[in-house]
Amino acid sequence: GGSNLTGESRNNALSTWALHHLVKNSTVSREFRDIPSKMFDAGLALYFGLLILFGWRCLSGWRLFGAWLEYANYCVLLYALLGILNLWGVITFYTLAMKEEGKNVWAVSPNYLKPILLGAPPCALVTFICAFIQTGQHVNEIRRGAAVLKHDRAVQIIALPAVFGCMAMNSLAKMYQCAAKYDVEQGFGVVAVTTQDPLSSSVNGTGDFGELYLAQTETCFHVADLYEAWSLFQFCKMTLEILRSSLKNIGKPARTVENAEKQEVARGLLVAHSALENIAWVSVATFLIVCLAQAGWSVYALYIGEEPVDWTDYKGQMNVFQAAGFVSSAAAIWNVNVVEIQFHEYFEGYGPLLKFLTVKFLLSLAYFQSGAVWVIQALNAALPGVLRNIVKKVPFLADLVLWDDNQFYLIYSAIICYECVIGVLLHWFAWPPDEEWYSVHEEDGESEMEKKPLVPKDKSAERGYCGGYCGLC
């Protein structure tokens, strides 16, 4: 705004700037080897992994030619992939944190940054373990043959925090390397570079290493958004089926003075249910298609398209997808909110409050939180100089308005890891495997045989939760 900065404000600005433009310590040098043009990308691995698992789920489900897939069902394979990617991100992060280059990042960073970043990897692991355990409870029900379709959809929803936490962890490791200007992956023998300054060089014509790190980080979040859209699809499909079943059940009892009005309303809503379902699918399907296209195009542009990558064009293309994703996710959240508000009292035994709350909370991870930061930065840029000086004196906010994309994703990735812990804990209460609605509602596309457990559930202390069927309890 043309006004002078105070000494404290200038130090804040310099600290934030240095977080991305850290000068390489002259005492630290390495020998670099010739290596591939692309670094390991967890987003790429998970994107193709999800496509393969989707095909495997459609082909086999939980049984193949009648045989139960103990270790080869899509759920076990998904968590195996997430476990490997989580370990990769955690090891990469802590390996760099113990090196001089990693410690130099803390020296030029705000005091709050170090504890936030160091606490993020344990959060990612906690999220993974909790989601895995809860999924196992639902898989036990599927193996018993109890409400297979509903439990199958539940496990896909439960996996969302684990997927998002995994991608956030790998994004954090990638941006930490970018801030430190140190390629840990080279030390693992995965990649190497041919210059003394890996983050400002060109490798086989791929362009700036810093741009590549940022693009790979964004790809991780694009893939996480894709799985989020898929889990929302499963949630909406199951919720609307439960709503239809509940409306039918409300109209079954004999008409009395007490229930007459509610029965009339339920019958009217049942007539309009098909229209409601079609309208809801418009926003959900649009969100899913946008996320699929965004993740796919990002992978194509980085690894299949023309080289060298034109980063200006790439960012322009991603901005188009970002805008489309913001609008489609807003429409999806709005429709979910409308269904919850208007039909809350008609869900029998479903416990919609906590389920809808967790869905809306996890949906906000996709576009709204990052969009909120960009809005704050745009508003700050439009403020008069006096007001901007006031903003620069506010702790944390003074740094936030000066972040560039690299600095933003470094902190944003860590914060997402913490939020995923909240999400997975909410899932523990929102999606227990023994709720009554799993067996009550019949109009959900499942056959009668699928609804009846093959083995009676026994919760006694002697036989464990699953009735002793799994052989482990």
Side-chain angles (χ1 to χ4, degrees), residues 290-307:
V290 169
C291 290
L292 179 63
Q294 183 179 34
W297 186 259
S298 178
V299 169
Y300 172 82
L302 289 177
Y303 299 97
I304 303 175
E306 297 181 358
E307 296 217 19

Side-chain angles (χ1 to χ4, degrees), residues 30 32-33 39-40 88-102 172-178 180-193 198-199 209 213:
R30 302 181 62 187
F32 297 108
R33 304 180 296 276
M39 297 169 285
F40 177 76
W88 173 264
V90 170
I91 292 172
T92 300
F93 178 84
Y94 281 129
T95 298
L96 179 56
M98 292 185 292
K99 293 184 177 293
E100 191 65 28
E101 292 87 348
L172 174 60
K174 189 69 67 176
M175 296 315 299
Y176 189 30
Q177 293 177 79
C178 183
K181 292 192 174 183
Y182 190 91
D183 183 15
V184 177
E185 295 172 3
Q186 177 194 356
F188 295 157
V190 178
V191 298
V193 289
L199 296 185
F209 250 96
Y213 272 114

Side-chain angles (χ1 to χ4, degrees), residues 376-384 388:
I376 292 173
Q377 291 180 335
L379 290 175
N380 178 73
L383 291 176
R388 268 190 280 179

Side-chain angles (χ1 to χ4, degrees), residues 272-306:
H273 182 274
S274 297
L276 169 68
E277 189 173 22
N278 291 333
I279 293 173
W281 287 136
V282 172
S283 61
V284 175
T286 301
F287 183 42
L288 179 59
I289 292 171
V290 169
C291 290
L292 179 63
Q294 183 179 34
W297 186 259
S298 178
V299 169
Y300 172 82
L302 289 177
Y303 299 97
I304 303 175
E306 297 181 358

Side-chain angles (χ1 to χ4, degrees), residues 15 66-67 76 131 193 200 207 235 256-257 263 268 289 305 307 313 331 408 412 433:
S15 295
V76 170
V193 289
S200 62
F235 173 76
T256 64
V257 177
Q263 282 188 338
I289 292 171
E307 296 217 19
D313 287 347
F408 166 73
Y412 177 67

Side-chain angles (χ1 to χ4, degrees), residues 186-234:
Q186 177 194 356
F188 295 157
V190 178
V191 298
V193 289
T194 56
T195 173
Q196 291 291 326
D197 192 359
L199 296 185
S200 62
S201 63
S202 178
V203 179
N204 291 355
T206 60
D208 190 345
F209 250 96
E211 296 285 1
L212 182 57
Y213 272 114
L214 179 60
Q216 289 182 332
T217 296
E218 291 177 333
T219 300
C220 286
F221 283 111
H222 297 335
V223 175
D225 293 342
L226 171 60
Y227 189 85
E228 182 176 63
W230 174 253
S231 66
L232 176 64
F233 172 83
Q234 294 295 330

Side-chain angles (χ1 to χ4, degrees), residues 388-454:
R388 268 190 280 179
N389 284 337
I390 295 176
V391 170
K392 290 172 183 176
K393 296 179 181 179
V394 179
F396 184 73
L397 184 60
D399 296 326
L400 184 148
V401 296
L402 295 176
W403 289 344
D404 62 13
D405 286 343
N406 299 63
Q407 298 155 2
F408 166 73
Y409 278 113
L410 179 65
I411 309 224
Y412 177 67
S413 301
I415 293 176
I416 290 294
C417 290
Y418 290 94
E419 292 180 330
C420 286
V421 173
I422 299 175
V424 78
L425 292 179
L426 288 174
H427 274 173
W428 270 94
F429 298 98
W431 299 98
D434 55 355
E435 285 186 296
E436 183 182 1
W437 63 270
Y438 284 109
S439 58
V440 168
H441 298 284
E442 299 180 357
E443 303 296 331
D444 60 355
E446 296 187 64
S447 66
E448 290 297 328
M449 186 64 69
E450 287 179 318
K451 300 187 190 78
K452 296 180 180 179
L454 300 179

